[in-house]
Amino acid sequence: MKRILPVLTVILAAAACSRPVSVEKFIKASDCPVPDRYDFVLDMADTLVSYDITFYTRLSRGDGSLLLSIPLTVSATSPSGKLYSEDVWADVSSPESVGHFDRDFIIPYRSEVRPAEAGEWKLSVTVPSGMDCLGGVGCILKRRK
């Protein structure tokens, strides 16, 4: 019994160190080193899974205007330095939650992504300048089986 307890402790400790299913990062608009550009690093080193990439944001209703979509330029740089870029429209017509002054949105970007290269990808999301109602942008990377 004295030998089983240390082995069991090591096994339980190793199981507790498993990788999380998803990671996320939110960057406030005021914290962007480059105005209107949000930079994320996505660790897609595991070649045995696919990934879902989701953005989220908060819009304030300070000026009373109603936005239905926001144009985004999404650029991805592979681990070897290859650049991919596209323009997409983020649907902000249906908020996830509504506060007195703010609306929160979850914006699915890509699902079941199997990257061309395994490793850390750099993802940049650029929004139009002058979007003072945008509180920031977050990115969720979720591992799928």
Side-chain angles (χ1 to χ4, degrees):
M1 181 68 175
K2 289 182 180 181
R3 290 187 179 176
I4 292 176
L5 189 57
V7 172
L8 185 59
T9 303
V10 169
I11 290 171
L12 290 174
C17 294
S18 65
R19 190 174 187 174
V21 173
S22 67
V23 293
E24 65 181 78
K25 180 179 181 182
F26 183 81
I27 302 170
K28 292 195 298 188
S30 59
D31 293 341
C32 288
V34 177
D36 305 317
R37 190 180 84 195
Y38 300 84
D39 296 322
F40 304 95
V41 176
L42 306 181
D43 183 0
M44 296 191 283
D46 189 346
T47 59
L48 300 177
V49 299
S50 62
Y51 301 89
D52 291 344
I53 303 169
T54 304
F55 300 126
Y56 60 99
T57 191
R58 172 170 283 174
L59 296 174
S60 64
R61 297 193 237 177
D63 63 356
S65 64
L66 178 66
L67 291 173
L68 298 178
S69 61
I70 300 172
L72 305 175
T73 299
V74 181
S75 302
T77 305
S78 72
S80 68
K82 204 178 249 189
L83 179 65
Y84 303 88
S85 183
E86 68 177 333
D87 294 324
V88 296
W89 288 88
D91 180 9
V92 292
S93 60
S94 300
E96 290 294 316
S97 66
V98 177
H100 188 67
F101 294 108
D102 299 317
R103 295 169 291 161
D104 296 332
F105 297 91
I106 296 176
I107 304 159
Y109 174 59
R110 293 280 178 258
S111 62
E112 298 190 33
V113 173
R114 294 200 180 267
E117 296 177 38
E120 287 188 346
W121 284 70
K122 294 179 180 135
L123 190 76
S124 295
V125 179
T126 305
V127 299
S129 62
M131 288 211 51
D132 297 333
C133 63
L134 188 74
V137 174
C139 182
I140 303 168
L141 178 68
K142 181 179 179 186
R143 294 168 16 120
R144 298 176 63 123
K145 297 205 181 227

